[in-house]
Amino acid sequence: MRMFDKRLAQHGEYFGQGVTLPNSGTKALDGGPACLSGAAGGTGVTIHCKTAVAIPTGKKLQLIIEDCDTKGGTFKESCSVTFHKGTYAAGEHLGEVVLPSQAKKFVRGKLVSDGNCTGTVDVYPYLTR
């Protein structure tokens, strides 16, 4: 078992739990925005497979992280990670992105698929150090 399969949610916060992957299009994660002020550069966002996940050949799934200085302000993309074809078992770690050191106070996420991705995931911040 790899160590990162056991990452714990920071302060029990989730960007999304049991989120069904978008078949095509964008799905905003409803657990944010999270106030991660002062933790940027030492905080990552991980995707953990709640059920089996499949990304078909020629398709992709992206986790896009957005940030803003205020909770109700205009959020802009600060970083992202792209996943290509593959199958992942329930309980596996799909991947992660580390927040840039200049990330703003409030952070939220969304999943974007260009088609036929299946499964459910948990998305949450964790301390990288």
Side-chain angles (χ1 to χ4, degrees):
M1 167 104 14
R2 297 174 303 190
M3 184 62 187
F4 55 66
D5 286 339
K6 298 296 182 192
R7 297 193 189 233
L8 301 174
Q10 183 174 330
H11 306 297
E13 293 179 317
Y14 283 82
F15 287 114
Q17 288 183 284
V19 177
T20 300
L21 297 178
N23 184 18
S24 183
T26 301
K27 177 171 252 173
L29 300 173
D30 60 6
C35 181
L36 299 177
S37 178
T43 300
V45 177
T46 192
I47 301 179
H48 189 260
C49 300
K50 186 105 175 176
T51 64
V53 167
I55 303 169
T57 301
K59 300 297 179 185
K60 64 184 177 188
L61 174 69
Q62 283 187 295
L63 169 63
I64 297 174
I65 302 298
E66 301 172 319
D67 65 0
C68 185
D69 287 321
T70 61
K71 191 172 187 174
T74 302
F75 283 77
K76 295 184 180 175
E77 183 176 335
S78 69
C79 59
S80 66
V81 62
T82 301
F83 307 100
H84 297 279
K85 81 169 188 167
T87 55
Y88 304 86
E92 275 193 278
H93 173 80
L94 180 60
E96 63 193 42
V97 63
V98 175
L99 298 180
S101 60
Q102 70 273 20
K104 295 183 174 24
K105 185 174 183 178
F106 292 95
V107 178
R108 69 182 186 191
K110 62 184 174 182
L111 295 169
V112 179
S113 167
D114 63 356
N116 298 319
C117 295
T118 60
T120 60
V121 295
D122 291 336
V123 182
Y124 53 88
Y126 71 94
L127 293 175
T128 61
R129 40 190 156 148

